[in-house]
Amino acid sequence: MLQNIVDNPDYKKLAIDILRQFDDSIADICYTKVDDGTYLESIITKSGVNMPFSVYGNGIKKILYILNKLFDATDSILLIDEIETGLHKKYYDTLFPVVFALASKLNVQLFIATHSIEAIDAILRYGNYENDN
């Protein structure tokens, strides 16, 4: 999942900046090809510790997944089902403005489905509907 982000310096910097809003100890993200041909994805902390991506919670994984899909969908459409899954509602105010700004920057039209009234409220609060066509 990180390969698309890490291989593009602009996307990598943006992803790290976004991740720091959720965990300020994050300094870098990387991947390493292992002997069996798969990739070991990791996050490097400010103290220099290399943490496997697998030890992070579902929230960080979900954020990276959404960022990766946004980058992949440049100049296209992205469908996101239950965007709030794995995220605590306290992070909606951080996540949604970032997702909307990045989608606008990458020219991605978002279609988001959710059953969460809190997520709907956050989407309505941070969507820039007055200036969009």
Side-chain angles (χ1 to χ4, degrees), residues 1-3 6-7 29-44 50-53:
M1 176 177 17
L2 293 179
Q3 186 175 2
V6 172
D7 288 346
I29 53 178
C30 63
Y31 66 92
T32 307
K33 192 171 185 177
V34 293
D35 293 338
D36 66 358
T38 60
Y39 293 94
L40 176 63
E41 300 171 325
S42 59
I43 294 176
I44 300 170
N50 190 333
M51 299 290 293
F53 185 61

Side-chain angles (χ1 to χ4, degrees), residues 52-77:
F53 185 61
S54 60
V55 302
Y56 281 85
N58 287 339
I60 292 288
K61 292 175 186 174
K62 178 76 173 220
I63 292 162
L64 278 171
Y65 182 78
I66 291 170
L67 293 177
N68 190 41
K69 292 303 177 184
L70 277 166
F71 295 140
D72 284 347
T74 299
D75 296 322
S76 185
I77 296 171

Side-chain angles (χ1 to χ4, degrees), residues 10-116:
D10 294 332
Y11 289 170
K12 181 178 179 179
K13 181 186 178 321
L14 183 60
I16 292 169
D17 290 344
I18 292 167
L19 290 174
R20 282 187 186 139
Q21 294 180 42
F22 298 92
D23 183 343
D24 66 353
S25 71
I26 294 173
D28 200 1
I29 53 178
C30 63
Y31 66 92
T32 307
K33 192 171 185 177
V34 293
D35 293 338
D36 66 358
T38 60
Y39 293 94
L40 176 63
E41 300 171 325
S42 59
I43 294 176
I44 300 170
T45 66
K46 288 180 181 177
S47 61
V49 176
N50 190 333
M51 299 290 293
F53 185 61
S54 60
V55 302
Y56 281 85
N58 287 339
I60 292 288
K61 292 175 186 174
K62 178 76 173 220
I63 292 162
L64 278 171
Y65 182 78
I66 291 170
L67 293 177
N68 190 41
K69 292 303 177 184
L70 277 166
F71 295 140
D72 284 347
T74 299
D75 296 322
S76 185
I77 296 171
L78 180 62
L79 309 169
I80 303 175
D81 188 26
E82 297 185 8
I83 192 170
E84 78 284 353
T85 303
L87 294 173
H88 192 279
K89 62 184 175 183
K90 71 179 181 180
Y91 292 117
Y92 294 173
D93 291 336
T94 305
L95 176 66
F96 291 124
V98 167
V99 167
F100 296 146
L102 186 57
S104 179
K105 180 178 179 176
L106 298 173
N107 193 34
V108 175
Q109 184 175 5
L110 293 173
F111 289 88
I112 299 172
T114 182
H115 297 284
S116 165

